[in-house]
Amino acid sequence: METTYAAMTSDVVVVSAAVVLCVSVGGLVWMKTSGGRTTGSSVATGSEKDADDGTRTKLTVFYGTQTGTSERYAREVVAHARARYGDAVRARAIDLETVDAMGAEDALQAETACAVFLQSTYGDGEPTDTSQDFVYWARDAANDGRMPDLLESLTFSVFGLGNRSYEQFNAAAKMVHNALIGLGAKPLLKLHLGDDDQCLEQDFENWIEAFWPAFETKFGLHSDGGDEDLPRYDVVMMDGGDGERAAATQAAKYEKEHSNARVAATATHPFLAPVKVVRELYGNGADRSCVHVDFNISGTSLHYKTGDHLGVFAENGADIVKRVAKTLKCDVDSVFRLEKPIDAPASLPEPFATPMTVGGAIARYVDVLSMPRKQALAALASVASDKDAKKLAFLASPAGKDEFAKYITKPHRSLLEVMEDYPSAVPDLGLFFGAIAPRLAPRFYSISSSPAADKNIVTATVAVVKEKVATGREHEGVASTFLQRAAEGQKIPIFVRTSTFRLPQNPEAPIIMIGPGTGYAPFRGFLQERTALKASGAKLGPAMLFFGCRNKDKDFMYEAEMQAALEDGVITSLDVAFSRDGPKKVYVQDKIIEKASTVYPIVKGTVGKNEGAVYICGDAKNMARDVNKALLSVLMREGDYAAHEAEEILRRLKNEFRYHQDVW
Ligand SMILES: Cc1cc2nc3c(=O)[nH]c(=O)nc-3n(C[C@H](O)[C@H](O)[C@H](O)COP(=O)(O)OP(=O)(O)OC[C@H]3O[C@@H](n4cnc5c(N)ncnc54)[C@H](O)[C@@H]3O)c2cc1C
Ligand SMILES: Cc1cc2nc3c(=O)[nH]c(=O)nc-3n(C[C@H](O)[C@H](O)[C@H](O)COP(=O)(O)O)c2cc1C
Ligand SMILES: *[C@@H]1O[C@H](CO)[C@@H](O)[C@H](O)[C@H]1NC(C)=O
Ligand SMILES: *[C@@H]1O[C@H](CO)[C@@H](O)[C@H](O)[C@H]1NC(C)=O
């Protein structure tokens, strides 16, 4: 990625071909652009060009997000601030992506009165991809210890977004909080950690309820108690032939823009790639499904390396679309246009491209199968009959906390189910897309092919989600079901996300690959790459592959390929754990223990040139943890290390980028 930096004094600066959207946080901020795309985004309340900024309290809400949750919260904080304090506070939401290491000091040292950080954690306790520059800069600057007063004029509060089932719970938020303190900034509140596994929504509410009073006390403000405007778009319905033609023109435009091989495919500008083949990977007797999906990327702007991730924009199924349209009392074929009102609240994002049919928009842009946010319930209440409005408003209120937990969180009730439960609440499309239904996020897949085998093909190996949920309905995973049903030739918006999950530079370095179930995906790419290396005459080092599934006959996917790789010497061992074939459950971690004497020297680094690497891919909740334990016990058993010494060895391996995890 080519990065250019531009100093700014005005709101918009044009640097060569790249447009740079610049935001001043009461001072100087450096913005980062990549290619021709502006990577920054900001929302401000009040007029951008107010001259008397000096007298207004500044509240800057920084967010680090992967799938948009913390961005949504950030927009909400800004909207709250506007409703509560009007012009007395100048609030902005800023993506940490636009605050890079070089600019961070400037951004934070500016006279920003108060900074909020909404920080999400990903991977193995890492900051989100786009906030890594900032977070690691802050951590290193704080650890360095030479600038203990750098941010002494800054007051801040951190709310972390994480999930307690991950080993490194909210690690990135903790990192930010501690780093800011290390740099002299003053915490307004203790660190608040949100847990997705329980109820992130409630945690966020608890934080914000604590935040406003502390903010007011510190900065001598008081709330006007003004009502917040609900974020909504202006809607224009387009009837008959005109509408049809407008929608067709827009569809053709979208297709053209997203099929241009000269424009790099990114999350904000995905490429429409045709599906080459979809095939079932499980055997006949299996009661679950896993599909192999090849995309033909010949002549596209997509390029990838073995081990990267594929981002996929899926669509809701036709049955779901119909049900949503029914709750909206809309015809799926009617055409509409969305516009952002000039005085829209800060929490309203740019609309998606219209004109479009109602059915098309529901299919592509809304997440109706997740639990509704409280803000969505409040918006539904605003259009419901008296009785329903009371109940919905109560659910959305702080007093309705227990009821919300009982009705929404525990049974994992979806937005669609709630709307079906409250048929009197019929929002117009502007309110529905603006305040009620969040955008459908892209899903990621560990690419299971290698360009070394065929640079025109990119493959995803997708386990199809189908599970009974507490409300009695069966949840069909949005993206996995969409891909399972995809037709040959169907064009789907995709993009590639770079990862650090890579084979060692030296093909002779020994490796251990551990990937049960779809965790095998990136290793299929590794095997293809090693096959190509071998064919080109390279000498290959030892490679152990551990795979696991339930039954040999049902879900041992890619068995023939794995066996062939073993016979051809592309891998040196193949150990498969079947958890449901024998009298007792066997998992990959048990196989690792069985192979302790071969595993040990690779982990310890005594084979070859001490550059061996361990790769773990798949389930983050149990597997990665259990495998970690198994590796520790191999070290303790074979090397006679104490527990803390074994942990130190794995830590060193991680620091040397020789212990890789791709877990989800
Ligand atoms: C870096 C990365 C790599 C990945 N690699 C792969 C891969 O190689 N192969 C693969 O198959 N997957 C992979 N995944 C997971 C993948 O991105 C998707 O999460 C997965 O396909 C499910 O998406 P979905 O849209 O089908 O399911 P969703 O509709 O998002 O549902 C997913 C889960 O959420 C829960 N859920 C959601 N809504 C409800 C509801 N209303 N009621 C009850 N439960 C609900 C369910 O527990 C369900 O299992 C990866 C994820 C990441 C982050
Ligand atoms: C692949 C993956 C890895 C994650 N890793 C962690 C983790 O290490 N620690 C943690 O606390 N939460 C982890 N999470 C949970 C997310 O941080 C949490 O769901 C958060 O709400 C996402 O916010 P966002 O939409 O702003 O990106 C992970 C989630 C995913 C999908
Ligand atoms: C939290 O993580 C666990 C384990 O990966 C997962 O089962 C659960 O669905 C996650 N919660 C949310 C809300 O994403
Ligand atoms: C992929 O698409 C290209 C161009 O669109 C086509 O020429 C080629 O035959 C396709 N390849 C496969 C393997 O389907």
Side-chain angles (χ1 to χ4, degrees):
M1 181 167 81
E2 194 189 322
T3 307
T4 54
Y5 299 98
M8 45 60 64
T9 47
S10 57
D11 279 332
V12 177
V13 183
V14 178
V15 186
S16 61
V19 177
V20 189
L21 177 74
C22 286
V23 192
S24 110
V25 190
L28 196 67
V29 181
W30 296 81
M31 305 296 287
K32 183 163 71 177
T33 62
S34 60
R37 191 173 69 93
T38 305
T39 52
S41 75
S42 93
V43 196
T45 65
S47 154
E48 297 264 342
K49 291 179 182 65
D50 277 355
D52 63 337
D53 278 348
T55 62
R56 296 167 68 190
T57 301
K58 296 182 184 88
L59 173 65
T60 310
V61 185
F62 294 100
Y63 58 88
T65 188
Q66 197 92 6
T67 57
T69 317
S70 66
E71 178 176 0
R72 272 202 296 279
Y73 285 147
R75 288 172 176 278
E76 211 168 295
V77 175
V78 170
H80 272 296
R82 183 182 196 178
R84 296 174 69 96
Y85 311 110
D87 282 345
V89 172
R90 182 173 173 185
R92 296 162 164 270
I94 292 187
D95 190 340
L96 280 173
E97 175 172 29
T98 63
V99 182
D100 65 31
M102 283 176 70
E105 277 176 62
D106 293 321
L108 296 171
Q109 271 184 315
E111 310 131 50
T112 306
C114 186
V116 161
F117 289 84
L118 305 179
Q119 179 67 50
S120 305
T121 297
Y122 270 83
D124 185 24
E126 286 135 31
T128 63
D129 291 345
T130 53
S131 63
Q132 290 192 355
D133 277 2
F134 168 75
V135 179
Y136 290 141
W137 165 82
R139 181 196 60 186
D140 295 345
N143 285 347
D144 181 291
R146 278 181 300 181
M147 301 181 283
D149 308 322
L150 183 73
L151 303 177
E152 64 178 345
S153 60
L154 183 76
T155 300
F156 74 96
S157 174
V158 177
F159 175 75
L161 292 86
N163 179 330
R164 206 176 281 281
S165 7
Y166 290 91
E167 211 168 338
Q168 307 292 331
F169 177 56
N170 261 305
K174 291 176 188 163
M175 225 182 271
V176 171
H177 183 83
N178 293 333
L180 292 171
I181 290 176
L183 293 169
K186 310 286 183 298
L188 188 62
L189 299 173
K190 71 174 173 47
L191 173 63
H192 279 237
L193 301 179
D195 179 10
D196 228 352
D197 214 28
Q198 292 299 315
C199 184
L200 190 62
E201 183 75 7
Q202 193 55 54
D203 296 332
F204 175 69
E205 204 171 288
N206 293 345
W207 168 74
I208 206 151
E209 275 173 21
F211 178 75
W212 292 126
F215 178 68
E216 286 174 10
T217 307
K218 168 86 190 170
F219 298 101
L221 293 157
H222 63 93
S223 162
D224 295 344
D227 260 350
E228 227 167 290
D229 285 341
L230 287 169
R232 64 165 84 217
Y233 298 104
D234 289 337
V235 181
V236 183
M237 297 307 297
M238 304 173 82
D239 293 334
D242 282 353
E244 271 168 40
R245 273 187 298 278
T249 306
Q250 171 57 34
K253 186 170 159 235
Y254 181 91
E255 166 124 18
K256 185 154 173 250
E257 281 175 5
H258 293 263
S259 308
N260 184 348
R262 282 194 297 264
V263 182
T266 62
T268 44
H269 191 95
F271 195 95
L272 277 167
V275 170
K276 182 167 173 279
V277 71
V278 179
R279 82 185 144 82
E280 177 59 52
L281 289 167
Y282 287 168
N284 282 332
D287 51 1
R288 299 172 306 149
S289 166
C290 184
V291 290
H292 172 107
V293 186
D294 281 337
F295 291 92
N296 180 353
I297 55 168
S298 135
T300 74
S301 67
L302 289 149
H303 304 281
Y304 73 101
K305 291 204 170 78
T306 315
D308 280 342
H309 295 140
L310 189 71
V312 177
F313 283 93
E315 292 181 17
N316 287 300
D319 46 337
I320 299 293
V321 172
K322 253 191 230 143
R323 283 170 56 194
V324 174
K326 195 169 162 220
T327 64
L328 296 172
K329 296 205 174 3
C330 265
D331 180 356
V332 287
D333 294 322
S334 54
V335 174
F336 71 107
R337 200 174 72 216
L338 285 186
E339 273 162 20
K340 190 172 171 176
I342 316 168
D343 59 348
S347 53
L348 190 69
E350 289 302 315
F352 46 85
T354 49
M356 176 174 269
T357 61
V358 168
I362 295 171
R364 282 194 202 169
Y365 294 112
V366 297
D367 179 354
V368 289
L369 296 181
S370 297
M371 296 181 281
R373 306 244 352 250
K374 287 194 170 184
Q375 189 205 280
L377 298 177
L380 280 174
S382 75
V383 293
S385 70
D386 279 356
K387 197 166 126 264
D388 285 355
K390 260 203 203 99
K391 282 202 224 154
L392 286 163
F394 179 66
L395 279 171
S397 71
K401 190 169 152 174
D402 293 344
E403 190 59 26
F404 185 86
K406 201 172 111 213
Y407 176 66
I408 304 282
T409 317
K410 280 224 187 69
H412 215 301
R413 197 177 305 271
S414 66
L415 171 63
L416 176 55
E417 287 173 290
V418 173
M419 290 179 71
E420 288 174 338
D421 273 2
Y422 291 90
S424 79
V426 183
D428 65 72
L429 293 174
L431 187 66
F432 179 67
F433 290 115
I436 295 172
R439 293 277 165 95
L440 188 58
R443 306 296 199 260
F444 289 99
Y445 296 93
S446 302
I447 293 176
S448 60
S449 56
S450 166
D454 184 345
K455 70 177 179 25
N456 293 323
I457 296 291
V458 65
T459 307
T461 298
V462 181
V464 181
V465 170
K466 196 171 194 172
E467 55 190 46
K468 258 247 171 2
V469 297
T471 55
R473 124 201 102 84
E474 190 149 55
H475 175 69
E476 291 189 328
V478 177
S480 53
T481 307
F482 172 72
L483 289 169
Q484 178 193 34
R485 294 175 186 163
E488 200 175 305
Q490 182 178 343
K491 289 183 174 175
I492 296 176
I494 60 174
F495 61 96
V496 170
R497 192 173 77 185
T498 307
S499 91
T500 53
F501 205 75
R502 298 272 189 262
L503 277 168
Q505 292 280 328
N506 178 0
E508 283 188 63
I511 59 171
I512 301 174
M513 297 171 277
I514 304 152
T518 46
Y520 174 63
F523 301 133
R524 182 170 182 269
F526 279 14
L527 264 49
Q528 290 186 351
E529 185 165 318
R530 285 172 66 92
T531 304
L533 281 167
K534 190 161 186 285
S536 69
K539 189 159 169 277
L540 299 180
M544 306 180 77
L545 174 61
F546 292 92
F547 178 72
C549 60
R550 288 185 183 172
N551 311 95
K552 188 175 188 329
D553 301 336
K554 292 180 185 164
D555 54 354
F556 189 178
M557 58 186 188
Y558 299 118
E559 179 183 1
E561 288 181 19
M562 289 186 211
Q563 294 292 0
L566 184 63
E567 275 155 33
D568 295 346
V570 170
I571 52 176
T572 40
S573 67
L574 171 62
D575 289 274
V576 185
F578 299 108
S579 64
R580 303 202 178 176
D581 269 351
K584 121 180 191 310
K585 297 199 166 181
V586 182
Y587 295 110
V588 277
Q589 58 268 28
D590 304 315
K591 291 285 173 186
I592 290 169
I593 303 273
E594 275 176 30
K595 285 291 183 81
S597 62
T598 325
V599 167
Y600 174 73
I602 299 181
V603 176
K604 190 62 195 17
T606 45
V607 170
K609 293 187 190 136
N610 191 16
E611 54 196 338
V614 178
Y615 300 86
I616 301 165
C617 181
D619 169 47
K621 196 166 191 166
N622 303 310
M623 189 274 295
R625 220 173 273 199
D626 293 341
V627 165
N628 193 275
K629 269 195 220 132
L631 291 171
L632 290 174
S633 89
V634 165
L635 284 166
M636 283 150 65
R637 191 186 299 189
E638 298 290 312
D640 255 340
Y641 290 103
H644 73 275
E645 291 169 321
E647 277 164 20
E648 184 51 37
I649 292 172
L650 289 192
R651 211 169 7 251
R652 205 160 57 225
L653 222 53
K654 263 184 203 169
N655 291 340
E656 292 169 3
F657 301 105
R658 290 165 47 212
Y659 188 96
H660 301 268
Q661 289 195 35
D662 181 12
V663 295
W664 60 82

